[in-house]
Short mmCIF file of all heavy atoms in Angstrom, two decimals:
data_model
loop_
_atom_site.label_atom_id
_atom_site.label_comp_id
_atom_site.label_asym_id
_atom_site.label_seq_id
_atom_site.Cartn_x
_atom_site.Cartn_y
_atom_site.Cartn_z
N MET A 19 -9.69 9.74 24.45
CA MET A 19 -10.94 9.36 23.79
C MET A 19 -11.70 10.61 23.36
O MET A 19 -11.99 11.47 24.19
CB MET A 19 -11.82 8.55 24.75
CG MET A 19 -11.38 7.10 24.90
SD MET A 19 -11.70 6.11 23.43
CE MET A 19 -13.45 5.75 23.63
N PRO A 20 -12.01 10.75 22.08
CA PRO A 20 -12.80 11.90 21.64
C PRO A 20 -14.22 11.81 22.19
O PRO A 20 -14.74 10.71 22.39
CB PRO A 20 -12.80 11.81 20.11
CG PRO A 20 -12.33 10.45 19.79
CD PRO A 20 -11.74 9.81 21.00
N LYS A 21 -14.79 12.97 22.43
CA LYS A 21 -16.13 13.00 22.99
C LYS A 21 -17.15 12.58 21.94
O LYS A 21 -17.04 12.97 20.79
CB LYS A 21 -16.44 14.41 23.47
CG LYS A 21 -17.63 14.46 24.41
CD LYS A 21 -17.83 15.86 24.96
CE LYS A 21 -18.91 15.92 26.02
NZ LYS A 21 -20.12 15.16 25.71
N VAL A 22 -18.10 11.77 22.36
CA VAL A 22 -19.17 11.35 21.46
C VAL A 22 -20.39 12.21 21.74
O VAL A 22 -20.83 12.34 22.87
CB VAL A 22 -19.51 9.86 21.65
CG1 VAL A 22 -20.71 9.46 20.81
CG2 VAL A 22 -18.30 9.01 21.29
N TYR A 23 -20.91 12.81 20.68
CA TYR A 23 -22.08 13.68 20.84
C TYR A 23 -23.33 12.97 20.36
O TYR A 23 -23.27 12.04 19.57
CB TYR A 23 -21.88 14.96 20.01
CG TYR A 23 -20.76 15.82 20.51
CD1 TYR A 23 -19.53 15.83 19.85
CD2 TYR A 23 -20.93 16.63 21.63
CE1 TYR A 23 -18.48 16.62 20.31
CE2 TYR A 23 -19.90 17.42 22.09
CZ TYR A 23 -18.68 17.42 21.43
OH TYR A 23 -17.66 18.21 21.89
N MET A 24 -24.45 13.47 20.85
CA MET A 24 -25.73 13.00 20.37
C MET A 24 -26.26 14.02 19.37
O MET A 24 -26.09 15.22 19.57
CB MET A 24 -26.73 12.88 21.53
CG MET A 24 -26.24 12.03 22.69
SD MET A 24 -25.97 10.33 22.23
CE MET A 24 -27.58 9.66 22.62
N CYS A 25 -26.89 13.53 18.35
CA CYS A 25 -27.46 14.42 17.34
C CYS A 25 -28.54 15.29 17.98
O CYS A 25 -29.41 14.78 18.68
CB CYS A 25 -28.03 13.59 16.20
SG CYS A 25 -28.83 14.58 14.93
N SER A 26 -28.45 16.59 17.73
CA SER A 26 -29.41 17.52 18.34
C SER A 26 -30.80 17.37 17.73
O SER A 26 -31.76 17.89 18.26
CB SER A 26 -28.93 18.96 18.15
OG SER A 26 -27.72 19.15 18.82
N PHE A 27 -30.88 16.69 16.59
CA PHE A 27 -32.18 16.57 15.95
C PHE A 27 -32.80 15.18 16.15
O PHE A 27 -33.89 15.05 16.66
CB PHE A 27 -32.07 16.90 14.47
CG PHE A 27 -33.41 17.11 13.82
CD1 PHE A 27 -34.06 18.34 13.90
CD2 PHE A 27 -34.04 16.08 13.14
CE1 PHE A 27 -35.31 18.52 13.34
CE2 PHE A 27 -35.29 16.26 12.58
CZ PHE A 27 -35.92 17.48 12.68
N CYS A 28 -32.06 14.13 15.75
CA CYS A 28 -32.65 12.80 15.81
C CYS A 28 -32.27 12.04 17.08
O CYS A 28 -32.85 11.01 17.38
CB CYS A 28 -32.28 11.97 14.58
SG CYS A 28 -30.59 11.37 14.56
N GLY A 29 -31.29 12.55 17.83
CA GLY A 29 -30.91 11.89 19.07
C GLY A 29 -29.95 10.74 18.88
O GLY A 29 -29.59 10.05 19.83
N GLY A 30 -29.53 10.52 17.65
CA GLY A 30 -28.62 9.43 17.35
C GLY A 30 -27.19 9.75 17.77
O GLY A 30 -26.82 10.91 17.94
N ARG A 31 -26.38 8.69 17.95
CA ARG A 31 -25.00 8.85 18.34
C ARG A 31 -24.19 9.31 17.14
O ARG A 31 -24.37 8.81 16.03
CB ARG A 31 -24.49 7.49 18.83
CG ARG A 31 -23.12 7.48 19.42
CD ARG A 31 -22.88 6.10 20.04
NE ARG A 31 -21.52 5.96 20.50
CZ ARG A 31 -20.52 5.51 19.75
NH1 ARG A 31 -20.75 5.11 18.52
NH2 ARG A 31 -19.31 5.42 20.23
N ILE A 32 -23.30 10.28 17.36
CA ILE A 32 -22.45 10.77 16.28
C ILE A 32 -21.05 10.21 16.48
O ILE A 32 -20.42 10.45 17.50
CB ILE A 32 -22.41 12.31 16.27
CG1 ILE A 32 -23.84 12.88 16.17
CG2 ILE A 32 -21.55 12.81 15.12
CD1 ILE A 32 -23.90 14.38 16.35
N GLU A 33 -20.58 9.46 15.51
CA GLU A 33 -19.23 8.91 15.58
C GLU A 33 -18.23 10.05 15.49
O GLU A 33 -18.42 10.99 14.71
CB GLU A 33 -18.99 7.93 14.43
CG GLU A 33 -19.90 6.72 14.46
CD GLU A 33 -19.71 5.85 15.69
OE1 GLU A 33 -18.60 5.82 16.23
OE2 GLU A 33 -20.70 5.24 16.13
N PRO A 34 -17.13 9.97 16.29
CA PRO A 34 -16.12 11.03 16.22
C PRO A 34 -15.61 11.20 14.79
O PRO A 34 -15.34 10.22 14.11
CB PRO A 34 -15.02 10.51 17.15
CG PRO A 34 -15.70 9.56 18.06
CD PRO A 34 -16.82 8.94 17.26
N GLY A 35 -15.54 12.43 14.34
CA GLY A 35 -15.06 12.71 13.00
C GLY A 35 -16.16 12.79 11.97
O GLY A 35 -15.93 13.20 10.84
N SER A 36 -17.36 12.40 12.34
CA SER A 36 -18.47 12.50 11.39
C SER A 36 -19.48 13.51 11.91
O SER A 36 -19.36 14.02 13.02
CB SER A 36 -19.12 11.13 11.18
OG SER A 36 -19.81 10.75 12.35
N GLY A 37 -20.48 13.77 11.12
CA GLY A 37 -21.49 14.72 11.52
C GLY A 37 -20.99 16.14 11.40
O GLY A 37 -19.89 16.40 10.92
N LEU A 38 -21.81 17.08 11.82
CA LEU A 38 -21.41 18.48 11.73
C LEU A 38 -21.88 19.27 12.94
O LEU A 38 -22.82 18.88 13.62
CB LEU A 38 -21.90 19.11 10.43
CG LEU A 38 -23.37 18.94 10.05
CD1 LEU A 38 -24.16 20.15 10.45
CD2 LEU A 38 -23.47 18.74 8.55
N THR A 39 -21.18 20.35 13.19
CA THR A 39 -21.46 21.19 14.34
C THR A 39 -21.98 22.52 13.86
O THR A 39 -21.48 23.07 12.87
CB THR A 39 -20.17 21.39 15.17
OG1 THR A 39 -19.69 20.10 15.54
CG2 THR A 39 -20.45 22.17 16.44
N TYR A 40 -22.97 23.04 14.54
CA TYR A 40 -23.59 24.30 14.16
C TYR A 40 -23.72 25.17 15.40
O TYR A 40 -24.20 24.70 16.43
CB TYR A 40 -24.96 24.02 13.54
CG TYR A 40 -25.66 25.23 12.99
CD1 TYR A 40 -25.22 25.82 11.80
CD2 TYR A 40 -26.76 25.77 13.63
CE1 TYR A 40 -25.87 26.94 11.29
CE2 TYR A 40 -27.42 26.88 13.11
CZ TYR A 40 -26.96 27.46 11.94
OH TYR A 40 -27.60 28.55 11.43
N VAL A 41 -23.26 26.39 15.31
CA VAL A 41 -23.33 27.29 16.46
C VAL A 41 -24.39 28.35 16.20
O VAL A 41 -24.34 29.06 15.19
CB VAL A 41 -21.96 27.96 16.73
CG1 VAL A 41 -22.03 28.80 18.00
CG2 VAL A 41 -20.87 26.90 16.86
N LEU A 42 -25.34 28.43 17.09
CA LEU A 42 -26.39 29.45 16.96
C LEU A 42 -25.83 30.81 17.34
O LEU A 42 -24.80 30.93 18.00
CB LEU A 42 -27.57 29.10 17.88
CG LEU A 42 -28.31 27.80 17.62
CD1 LEU A 42 -29.42 27.62 18.65
CD2 LEU A 42 -28.89 27.76 16.23
N ARG A 43 -26.55 31.85 16.94
CA ARG A 43 -26.11 33.20 17.22
C ARG A 43 -26.04 33.47 18.73
O ARG A 43 -25.28 34.31 19.18
CB ARG A 43 -27.08 34.19 16.57
CG ARG A 43 -26.37 35.41 16.03
CD ARG A 43 -27.36 36.30 15.32
NE ARG A 43 -27.51 35.94 13.91
CZ ARG A 43 -28.15 36.68 13.04
NH1 ARG A 43 -28.69 37.81 13.42
NH2 ARG A 43 -28.26 36.32 11.80
N ASN A 44 -26.85 32.74 19.50
CA ASN A 44 -26.85 32.94 20.95
C ASN A 44 -25.79 32.07 21.66
O ASN A 44 -25.77 32.01 22.88
CB ASN A 44 -28.24 32.68 21.54
CG ASN A 44 -28.73 31.25 21.31
OD1 ASN A 44 -27.97 30.39 20.89
ND2 ASN A 44 -29.99 31.00 21.59
N GLY A 45 -24.91 31.43 20.87
CA GLY A 45 -23.81 30.68 21.47
C GLY A 45 -24.10 29.22 21.74
O GLY A 45 -23.22 28.49 22.17
N VAL A 46 -25.33 28.78 21.49
CA VAL A 46 -25.68 27.38 21.71
C VAL A 46 -25.06 26.53 20.60
O VAL A 46 -25.18 26.85 19.42
CB VAL A 46 -27.21 27.19 21.74
CG1 VAL A 46 -27.57 25.71 21.83
CG2 VAL A 46 -27.81 27.96 22.91
N ILE A 47 -24.35 25.47 21.00
CA ILE A 47 -23.70 24.60 20.02
C ILE A 47 -24.56 23.36 19.80
O ILE A 47 -24.95 22.68 20.74
CB ILE A 47 -22.29 24.20 20.50
CG1 ILE A 47 -21.43 25.45 20.68
CG2 ILE A 47 -21.64 23.23 19.51
CD1 ILE A 47 -20.15 25.19 21.45
N LEU A 48 -24.88 23.12 18.54
CA LEU A 48 -25.68 21.97 18.18
C LEU A 48 -24.85 21.01 17.34
O LEU A 48 -23.99 21.43 16.57
CB LEU A 48 -26.92 22.40 17.39
CG LEU A 48 -27.91 23.33 18.11
CD1 LEU A 48 -28.91 23.87 17.12
CD2 LEU A 48 -28.60 22.62 19.25
N HIS A 49 -25.11 19.73 17.53
CA HIS A 49 -24.40 18.71 16.75
C HIS A 49 -25.41 17.93 15.93
O HIS A 49 -26.47 17.56 16.43
CB HIS A 49 -23.64 17.77 17.69
CG HIS A 49 -22.66 18.48 18.56
ND1 HIS A 49 -21.39 18.79 18.12
CD2 HIS A 49 -22.74 18.94 19.82
CE1 HIS A 49 -20.75 19.43 19.09
NE2 HIS A 49 -21.54 19.54 20.13
N PHE A 50 -25.06 17.68 14.68
CA PHE A 50 -25.95 16.91 13.81
C PHE A 50 -25.20 15.72 13.24
O PHE A 50 -24.04 15.83 12.85
CB PHE A 50 -26.48 17.80 12.69
CG PHE A 50 -27.32 18.94 13.21
CD1 PHE A 50 -26.78 20.19 13.37
CD2 PHE A 50 -28.65 18.74 13.55
CE1 PHE A 50 -27.54 21.25 13.87
CE2 PHE A 50 -29.42 19.78 14.05
CZ PHE A 50 -28.87 21.02 14.21
N CYS A 51 -25.88 14.56 13.18
CA CYS A 51 -25.23 13.34 12.72
C CYS A 51 -25.09 13.35 11.21
O CYS A 51 -24.23 12.68 10.66
CB CYS A 51 -26.01 12.11 13.20
SG CYS A 51 -27.64 11.95 12.48
N SER A 52 -25.95 14.08 10.51
CA SER A 52 -25.92 14.07 9.06
C SER A 52 -26.51 15.36 8.51
O SER A 52 -27.18 16.10 9.23
CB SER A 52 -26.72 12.88 8.52
OG SER A 52 -28.07 13.03 8.89
N SER A 53 -26.28 15.59 7.22
CA SER A 53 -26.85 16.77 6.58
C SER A 53 -28.37 16.66 6.54
O SER A 53 -29.07 17.66 6.45
CB SER A 53 -26.29 16.95 5.17
OG SER A 53 -26.48 15.80 4.42
N LYS A 54 -28.87 15.43 6.60
CA LYS A 54 -30.32 15.22 6.62
C LYS A 54 -30.93 15.89 7.87
O LYS A 54 -31.90 16.63 7.77
CB LYS A 54 -30.60 13.71 6.64
CG LYS A 54 -32.04 13.32 6.73
CD LYS A 54 -32.11 11.80 6.93
CE LYS A 54 -33.54 11.33 7.21
NZ LYS A 54 -33.55 9.89 7.58
N CYS A 55 -30.31 15.63 9.02
CA CYS A 55 -30.80 16.22 10.26
C CYS A 55 -30.60 17.73 10.24
O CYS A 55 -31.47 18.49 10.67
CB CYS A 55 -30.06 15.62 11.45
SG CYS A 55 -30.57 13.93 11.76
N PHE A 56 -29.47 18.18 9.70
CA PHE A 56 -29.18 19.60 9.64
C PHE A 56 -30.20 20.32 8.76
O PHE A 56 -30.73 21.36 9.13
CB PHE A 56 -27.76 19.80 9.12
CG PHE A 56 -27.34 21.25 9.09
CD1 PHE A 56 -27.36 21.99 10.26
CD2 PHE A 56 -26.90 21.84 7.93
CE1 PHE A 56 -26.96 23.33 10.26
CE2 PHE A 56 -26.50 23.17 7.90
CZ PHE A 56 -26.54 23.91 9.07
N LYS A 57 -30.52 19.72 7.62
CA LYS A 57 -31.48 20.32 6.70
C LYS A 57 -32.85 20.43 7.37
O LYS A 57 -33.52 21.44 7.25
CB LYS A 57 -31.60 19.47 5.44
CG LYS A 57 -30.60 19.85 4.37
CD LYS A 57 -30.84 18.98 3.13
CE LYS A 57 -29.53 18.71 2.41
NZ LYS A 57 -29.61 17.52 1.57
N ASN A 58 -33.25 19.36 8.05
CA ASN A 58 -34.55 19.38 8.71
C ASN A 58 -34.59 20.44 9.81
O ASN A 58 -35.61 21.08 10.02
CB ASN A 58 -34.87 18.00 9.29
CG ASN A 58 -35.46 17.08 8.25
OD1 ASN A 58 -36.66 17.08 8.04
ND2 ASN A 58 -34.63 16.32 7.58
N PHE A 59 -33.46 20.62 10.49
CA PHE A 59 -33.39 21.66 11.52
C PHE A 59 -33.51 23.04 10.88
O PHE A 59 -34.25 23.90 11.36
CB PHE A 59 -32.08 21.52 12.29
CG PHE A 59 -31.84 22.67 13.23
CD1 PHE A 59 -32.48 22.73 14.45
CD2 PHE A 59 -30.97 23.70 12.88
CE1 PHE A 59 -32.27 23.80 15.30
CE2 PHE A 59 -30.75 24.77 13.73
CZ PHE A 59 -31.41 24.82 14.94
N LYS A 60 -32.80 23.24 9.77
CA LYS A 60 -32.83 24.53 9.09
C LYS A 60 -34.22 24.86 8.56
O LYS A 60 -34.59 26.01 8.45
CB LYS A 60 -31.82 24.54 7.92
CG LYS A 60 -30.38 24.50 8.37
CD LYS A 60 -29.87 25.86 8.82
CE LYS A 60 -29.28 26.63 7.67
NZ LYS A 60 -28.70 27.89 8.13
N LEU A 61 -34.98 23.81 8.23
CA LEU A 61 -36.33 24.00 7.74
C LEU A 61 -37.29 24.33 8.88
O LEU A 61 -38.46 24.60 8.66
CB LEU A 61 -36.82 22.74 7.01
CG LEU A 61 -36.18 22.48 5.65
CD1 LEU A 61 -36.51 21.07 5.18
CD2 LEU A 61 -36.65 23.49 4.62
N GLY A 62 -36.76 24.27 10.10
CA GLY A 62 -37.58 24.62 11.25
C GLY A 62 -38.51 23.51 11.69
O GLY A 62 -39.49 23.75 12.38
N ARG A 63 -38.19 22.29 11.28
CA ARG A 63 -39.05 21.17 11.64
C ARG A 63 -38.86 20.82 13.12
O ARG A 63 -37.77 20.94 13.66
CB ARG A 63 -38.74 19.94 10.77
CG ARG A 63 -39.01 20.20 9.32
CD ARG A 63 -39.55 18.95 8.64
NE ARG A 63 -39.99 19.30 7.28
CZ ARG A 63 -39.37 18.83 6.18
NH1 ARG A 63 -38.36 18.01 6.27
NH2 ARG A 63 -39.82 19.18 5.00
N ASP A 64 -39.93 20.36 13.73
CA ASP A 64 -39.89 19.97 15.13
C ASP A 64 -39.55 18.48 15.22
O ASP A 64 -40.29 17.65 14.69
CB ASP A 64 -41.27 20.24 15.75
CG ASP A 64 -41.29 20.03 17.24
OD1 ASP A 64 -40.32 19.47 17.78
OD2 ASP A 64 -42.27 20.43 17.87
N PRO A 65 -38.42 18.12 15.89
CA PRO A 65 -38.04 16.70 15.97
C PRO A 65 -39.12 15.84 16.61
O PRO A 65 -39.18 14.63 16.38
CB PRO A 65 -36.76 16.69 16.81
CG PRO A 65 -36.40 18.09 17.09
CD PRO A 65 -37.46 19.00 16.56
N LYS A 66 -39.97 16.46 17.41
CA LYS A 66 -41.04 15.70 18.07
C LYS A 66 -42.08 15.22 17.06
O LYS A 66 -42.89 14.36 17.37
CB LYS A 66 -41.72 16.56 19.13
CG LYS A 66 -40.83 16.90 20.29
CD LYS A 66 -41.64 17.62 21.38
CE LYS A 66 -40.74 18.30 22.39
NZ LYS A 66 -40.10 19.51 21.82
N LYS A 67 -42.05 15.82 15.85
CA LYS A 67 -43.03 15.44 14.83
C LYS A 67 -42.41 14.63 13.71
O LYS A 67 -43.05 14.34 12.71
CB LYS A 67 -43.69 16.71 14.26
CG LYS A 67 -44.58 17.39 15.28
CD LYS A 67 -45.06 18.74 14.77
CE LYS A 67 -45.81 19.49 15.88
NZ LYS A 67 -45.99 20.90 15.53
N ILE A 68 -41.11 14.28 13.86
CA ILE A 68 -40.42 13.52 12.84
C ILE A 68 -40.33 12.06 13.28
O ILE A 68 -39.67 11.76 14.29
CB ILE A 68 -39.00 14.09 12.60
CG1 ILE A 68 -39.05 15.59 12.32
CG2 ILE A 68 -38.28 13.32 11.50
CD1 ILE A 68 -39.60 15.97 10.98
N PRO A 69 -40.97 11.15 12.56
CA PRO A 69 -41.04 9.75 13.03
C PRO A 69 -39.68 9.08 13.20
O PRO A 69 -39.54 8.19 14.03
CB PRO A 69 -41.86 9.05 11.93
CG PRO A 69 -42.65 10.13 11.29
CD PRO A 69 -41.80 11.37 11.37
N TRP A 70 -38.66 9.49 12.42
CA TRP A 70 -37.35 8.82 12.55
C TRP A 70 -36.47 9.45 13.61
O TRP A 70 -35.33 9.05 13.80
CB TRP A 70 -36.63 8.74 11.19
CG TRP A 70 -36.62 10.01 10.39
CD1 TRP A 70 -37.47 10.33 9.37
CD2 TRP A 70 -35.72 11.12 10.52
NE1 TRP A 70 -37.15 11.57 8.87
CE2 TRP A 70 -36.09 12.08 9.55
CE3 TRP A 70 -34.63 11.40 11.38
CZ2 TRP A 70 -35.41 13.29 9.41
CZ3 TRP A 70 -33.97 12.61 11.23
CH2 TRP A 70 -34.36 13.54 10.26
N SER A 71 -37.00 10.43 14.33
CA SER A 71 -36.22 11.05 15.40
C SER A 71 -36.49 10.37 16.74
O SER A 71 -37.60 9.92 17.01
CB SER A 71 -36.58 12.53 15.50
OG SER A 71 -36.10 13.08 16.71
N ALA A 72 -35.45 10.31 17.57
CA ALA A 72 -35.61 9.71 18.90
C ALA A 72 -36.48 10.59 19.78
O ALA A 72 -36.96 10.15 20.82
CB ALA A 72 -34.25 9.50 19.55
N TYR A 73 -36.66 11.84 19.37
CA TYR A 73 -37.48 12.77 20.16
C TYR A 73 -38.94 12.73 19.73
O TYR A 73 -39.76 13.48 20.24
CB TYR A 73 -36.94 14.20 20.01
CG TYR A 73 -35.52 14.34 20.46
CD1 TYR A 73 -34.50 14.61 19.55
CD2 TYR A 73 -35.19 14.19 21.80
CE1 TYR A 73 -33.19 14.73 19.96
CE2 TYR A 73 -33.87 14.30 22.23
CZ TYR A 73 -32.87 14.57 21.30
OH TYR A 73 -31.58 14.69 21.71
N TYR A 74 -39.23 11.87 18.76
CA TYR A 74 -40.60 11.78 18.26
C TYR A 74 -41.56 11.35 19.37
O TYR A 74 -41.28 10.42 20.12
CB TYR A 74 -40.65 10.76 17.11
CG TYR A 74 -42.01 10.63 16.45
CD1 TYR A 74 -42.56 11.67 15.73
CD2 TYR A 74 -42.72 9.43 16.53
CE1 TYR A 74 -43.78 11.55 15.11
CE2 TYR A 74 -43.94 9.28 15.91
CZ TYR A 74 -44.48 10.34 15.20
OH TYR A 74 -45.69 10.21 14.58
N VAL A 75 -42.66 12.06 19.47
CA VAL A 75 -43.67 11.72 20.48
C VAL A 75 -44.97 11.39 19.77
O VAL A 75 -45.43 12.15 18.92
CB VAL A 75 -43.91 12.90 21.45
CG1 VAL A 75 -44.51 12.38 22.75
CG2 VAL A 75 -42.65 13.70 21.72
N LEU A 76 -45.52 10.25 20.11
CA LEU A 76 -46.79 9.87 19.53
C LEU A 76 -47.90 10.73 20.12
O LEU A 76 -47.97 10.91 21.33
CB LEU A 76 -47.09 8.40 19.81
CG LEU A 76 -46.33 7.39 18.93
CD1 LEU A 76 -46.54 6.00 19.48
CD2 LEU A 76 -46.82 7.44 17.50
N ARG A 77 -48.71 11.25 19.23
CA ARG A 77 -49.83 12.07 19.72
C ARG A 77 -50.95 11.18 20.18
O ARG A 77 -51.25 10.16 19.58
CB ARG A 77 -50.33 12.99 18.59
CG ARG A 77 -49.39 14.13 18.36
CD ARG A 77 -50.01 15.01 17.32
NE ARG A 77 -49.18 16.19 17.12
CZ ARG A 77 -49.69 17.38 16.86
NH1 ARG A 77 -50.97 17.55 16.77
NH2 ARG A 77 -48.90 18.40 16.66
N LYS A 78 -51.58 11.62 21.25
CA LYS A 78 -52.69 10.83 21.78
C LYS A 78 -53.99 11.24 21.08
O LYS A 78 -54.13 12.38 20.69
CB LYS A 78 -52.81 11.06 23.28
CG LYS A 78 -51.74 10.27 24.01
CD LYS A 78 -51.83 10.52 25.52
CE LYS A 78 -50.65 9.87 26.24
NZ LYS A 78 -50.61 10.23 27.64
ZN1 ZN B 387 -29.40 13.00 13.44
#
């Protein structure tokens, strides 16, 4: 069984064979379910502030 990863940005499940993997210079491996999540990560957006991300936190 191939390992199923969670998207590092939106927290969604990544089907085996889909999504993309990105390795940071410090060796941390990130997985993204789509180029949409990857683009948002590259833009430096905080997933906690993205409403469609599972990491989104409502501000009080
Ligand atoms: Zn995602």
Side-chain angles (χ1 to χ4, degrees):
M19 282 289 280
K21 196 175 187 316
V22 175
Y23 294 102
M24 306 297 269
C25 178
S26 297
F27 194 83
C28 75
R31 186 172 174 270
I32 304 172
E33 297 297 331
S36 69
L38 50 97
T39 303
Y40 185 73
V41 184
L42 298 178
R43 217 176 272 191
N44 61 11
V46 174
I47 300 167
L48 298 169
H49 302 277
F50 297 98
C51 65
S52 63
S53 55
K54 177 188 173 188
C55 288
F56 184 57
K57 272 182 212 158
N58 277 274
F59 172 79
K60 292 281 270 185
L61 288 168
R63 297 216 172 113
D64 187 349
K66 293 187 195 73
K67 291 172 187 166
I68 307 288
W70 47 262
S71 166
Y73 301 112
Y74 183 66
V75 202
L76 282 170
R77 285 184 177 215
K78 283 179 187 172

